[in-house]
Amino acid sequence: MIAKLAKESSGKGPRKTRKSASFKPPSCERASAARTSSTSPGHSGPHSSRTTAAPRRKSSQHLGYAKVANIIAATRHACHIGMPFNRFITISWEKGHVTDHTTATINFLNYARGALFAKGERTAFVWSQEWGRVVGQHVHILIHVPLHLTAWFTKLQRGWLKRCGVTRGKNVIKTTPIGHSYAAAFSTGPLAEAYQRNLENVKNYILKDAEYKALCLLKQPASLRGSPVHGKRSATSENIGVLARTKWAATL
């Protein structure tokens, strides 16, 4: 027995362990690492601003209280700084075969803002995403466009849609003035009162998916049914956002 043990231990070092396989993260982590953010519109880079597949985003059924309050305050502030909303845009991303609706909305507004900046003009806007049984996922935008650029802006819209990945242009975008015309936002007297009523109505319309506790902020009832939206539900331009409003109030 002793001889047998000696034979087994002699001449051979410790047994080499099998080399472990290289670590592979879980599939969800690999997918996350593979995603790269696209460059901002108008900037060159290795990644295209178009989106071929929508990343996984958080889903929600209603607009929260804070988001509703932010859009209401931003709409009011746009008037205070001389950039009242005079254009109501609805884009049905699903009809245009766009899957990443949030990125497409942000890119569209970046194109619009960049084009206006090149003309020496500024803009302000708010937006809210919804889902509808007929049109699918879509976004409502309230935006300020200078009057002398009204026709120019309308002409460029479809080009921006294509750059956002829209492959089918029919019935994808609808644009209407807020009030009786695009100039209504700058009216005085009774026409100004009519514009404010119209602005109030269209603002409440884009907030119709508000959650129950936000209803007190709206003068018109919301649907309460809500709609499923993947990704960011709403936002404002920086110049009428919370920080901008706080700085403006400090100067009064």
Side-chain angles (χ1 to χ4, degrees):
M1 175 65 72
I2 296 174
K4 183 178 181 180
L5 291 175
K7 182 179 180 181
E8 291 178 356
S9 60
S10 64
K12 295 182 180 180
R15 180 179 296 179
K16 294 182 180 180
T17 58
R18 184 178 181 182
K19 187 177 181 180
S20 59
S22 59
F23 171 74
K24 292 184 179 180
S27 58
C28 59
E29 294 182 14
R30 294 200 304 269
S32 176
R35 296 190 197 112
T36 54
S37 59
S38 60
T39 56
S40 301
H43 291 76
S44 59
H47 307 296
S48 170
S49 61
R50 291 191 177 185
T51 307
T52 56
R56 293 181 180 179
R57 298 183 185 275
K58 185 178 179 181
S59 179
S60 60
Q61 188 73 16
H62 294 278
L63 267 172
Y65 182 94
K67 292 183 180 297
V68 172
N70 186 38
I71 287 182
I72 292 174
T75 301
R76 188 182 304 115
H77 190 64
C79 294
H80 290 161
I81 63 175
M83 287 188 283
F85 302 143
N86 57 352
R87 179 177 288 244
F88 178 32
I89 302 173
T90 297
I91 305 174
S92 302
W93 292 120
E94 200 162 324
K95 280 190 174 182
H97 301 163
V98 174
T99 54
D100 190 351
H101 315 111
T102 301
T103 298
T105 296
I106 294 172
N107 284 348
F108 178 87
L109 289 167
N110 280 341
Y111 291 133
R113 180 168 49 190
L116 286 168
F117 183 79
K119 289 282 188 179
E121 300 288 352
R122 295 185 303 151
T123 186
F125 53 80
V126 300
W127 57 268
S128 176
Q129 289 202 99
E130 299 175 2
W131 178 87
R133 190 178 300 275
V134 176
V135 298
Q137 188 126 351
H138 58 283
V139 64
H140 295 303
I141 302 170
L142 307 183
I143 189 170
H144 168 81
V145 177
L147 287 180
H148 66 284
L149 295 176
T150 296
W152 168 85
F153 191 94
T154 301
K155 185 178 180 180
L156 293 182
Q157 284 182 149
R158 293 196 178 277
W160 297 333
L161 290 179
K162 289 182 179 179
R163 294 171 70 184
C164 290
V166 169
T167 58
R168 177 174 177 250
K170 188 176 181 181
N171 299 325
V172 171
I173 189 168
K174 180 181 179 182
T175 303
T176 57
I178 299 176
H180 65 278
S181 69
Y182 291 112
F186 306 96
S187 302
T188 58
L191 291 178
E193 295 176 4
Y195 163 76
Q196 288 297 330
R197 288 194 298 270
N198 196 291
L199 177 63
E200 187 75 13
N201 291 339
V202 75
K203 178 201 67 183
N204 288 340
Y205 177 77
I206 73 170
L207 297 177
K208 59 182 177 291
D209 281 348
E211 63 181 1
Y212 181 78
K213 67 178 182 180
L215 295 183
C216 61
L217 298 175
L218 304 174
K219 295 182 179 179
Q220 295 181 0
S223 67
L224 288 181
R225 293 176 299 176
S227 63
V229 169
H230 299 283
K232 198 170 187 177
R233 288 197 76 107
S234 67
T236 75
S237 56
E238 290 185 4
N239 57 348
I240 55 174
V242 176
L243 183 58
R245 297 195 302 266
T246 302
K247 290 181 177 180
W248 182 81
T251 63
L252 299 179

